[in-house]
Amino acid sequence: MSITSNYQNLRKEIPDHVTIVLAGKTKSSKEIREAIEAGATDLGENYVQEAETIKQQLGEKVNAVRWHMIGHLQKNKINKALPIFDVIQTVDSLKKARDIDKRVEKAGKNVIPVLIEINIGNEDSKSGLKPEELEPFEEYMDKFVSDVSELRHLKVEGIMTMGPRFGNPENSRLYFRRTRKIFEKIRKDIHLPAVNMKYLSMGMSNSYKVAIEEGSNMVRLGTIVFGKRTYQ
Ligand SMILES: *Cc1c(COP(=O)(O)O)cnc(C)c1O
């Protein structure tokens, strides 16, 4: 199986309303170029430096796709990240939102679309807003989204979650369902110009089917398209 056929088969299998963001971490620009030529529309990267290198190597192909920051964004990388990415999926505190907001204009942009990252499993090893620590979470999220929307240079476009990783994707179902409920509640409650709840980003290679059944409209896929990752 090749990257081209893996991607094209998935694109046929996954409903049209679901955006596929390819997770490119550790993959070479040659592999990513193949994915773009196969029709990929959205690329996700976890590290600012890695994304910059890949984009430089891609040449003109780089403008054919939207670039998503899907990794933890450190404060000292925001300046560098802003020109590289079209969307930041990992806003997980008001402080981070403000730190980004302050730097958008300097990066030559007016607005950057963001997703709010929720750590739906309350896992210490992962970033994202933790429901257990922010009770009552549904109310907290409404407030959080409206606070972020007051920042002039951010636009809230949805929710992202990693969800706990299980061998059996069925075990993720209830976490995805809860994330979807939070997403729908914000969509129902918050009507502000800088909030447009379009994307529910959840589901990875092992769990995307369950995530889509539970309402995801944006999946982030690495392994199933590119094959196993080898870390150096
Ligand atoms: C690596 C990664 C993915 C994709 O994981 P796979 O299991 O390889 O599909 C999705 N989201 C994030 C945030 C990632 O870091």
Side-chain angles (χ1 to χ4, degrees):
M1 292 301 267
S2 67
I3 291 169
T4 302
S5 59
N6 289 346
Y7 178 78
Q8 290 176 347
N9 290 338
L10 273 162
R11 191 58 282 183
K12 274 187 223 132
E13 173 201 322
I14 292 174
D16 288 348
H17 75 277
V18 179
T19 301
I20 300 175
V21 178
L22 293 182
K25 60 181 178 280
T26 77
K27 298 300 162 186
S28 67
S29 53
K30 185 166 170 284
E31 290 166 301
I32 288 173
R33 185 176 292 116
E34 181 176 343
I36 295 173
E37 282 166 358
T41 56
D42 293 76
L43 249 299
E45 288 287 348
N46 291 66
Y47 301 100
V48 178
Q49 184 57 59
E50 191 173 339
E52 185 181 48
T53 306
I54 292 288
K55 285 187 78 174
Q56 279 165 356
Q57 291 169 352
L58 276 176
E60 64 187 29
K61 286 274 178 268
V62 50
N63 295 319
V65 293
R66 269 181 302 175
W67 292 87
H68 300 245
M69 176 57 175
I70 60 172
H72 183 68
L73 180 57
Q74 291 167 285
K75 183 178 175 184
N76 64 358
K77 297 284 165 59
I78 295 173
N79 277 332
K80 203 166 173 187
L82 279 166
I84 293 176
F85 292 103
D86 301 299
V87 186
I88 296 174
Q89 293 208 8
T90 50
V91 169
D92 58 358
S93 70
L94 205 50
K95 181 177 179 305
K96 184 163 298 166
R98 290 195 182 109
D99 286 340
I100 295 170
D101 181 61
K102 271 186 239 164
R103 293 166 175 82
V104 175
E105 277 190 319
K106 231 189 310 170
K109 296 191 177 181
N110 185 33
V111 171
I112 182 97
V114 301
L115 308 189
I116 310 301
E117 183 179 3
I118 298 178
N119 181 345
I120 196 67
N122 298 287
E123 296 169 285
D124 289 336
S125 59
K126 290 191 181 130
S127 48
L129 297 164
K130 285 194 179 139
E132 252 170 35
E133 289 174 4
L134 303 165
E135 302 249 24
F137 192 61
E138 276 70 9
E139 280 68 29
Y140 179 89
M141 281 304 294
D142 276 0
K143 171 93 168 54
F144 183 86
V145 167
S146 53
D147 286 349
V148 172
S149 78
E150 282 174 18
L151 302 170
R152 286 184 45 219
H153 304 292
L154 263 57
K155 189 159 175 236
V156 181
E157 294 200 336
I159 299 288
M160 181 274 223
T161 194
M162 294 274 280
R165 277 221 195 208
F166 297 108
N168 180 355
E170 275 302 323
N171 294 335
S172 298
R173 188 178 291 279
L174 289 178
Y175 292 94
F176 291 150
R177 192 169 294 173
R178 176 146 195 229
T179 309
R180 202 257 177 101
K181 283 211 175 112
I182 294 162
F183 173 76
E184 295 294 351
K185 179 168 163 54
I186 298 166
R187 191 144 77 163
K188 183 165 74 63
D189 291 348
I190 308 292
H191 301 278
L192 294 166
V195 180
N196 183 3
M197 297 296 284
K198 285 193 283 194
Y199 300 116
L200 179 54
S201 173
M202 60 184 192
M204 306 195 283
S205 290
N206 72 329
S207 61
Y208 71 92
K209 288 182 186 162
V210 172
I212 292 168
E213 283 166 15
E214 295 302 330
S216 169
N217 61 18
M218 180 173 273
V219 292
R220 306 178 311 272
L221 305 178
T223 313
I224 196 169
V225 172
F226 291 115
K228 277 217 176 79
R229 286 180 289 273
T230 43
Y231 292 93
Q232 268 130 25

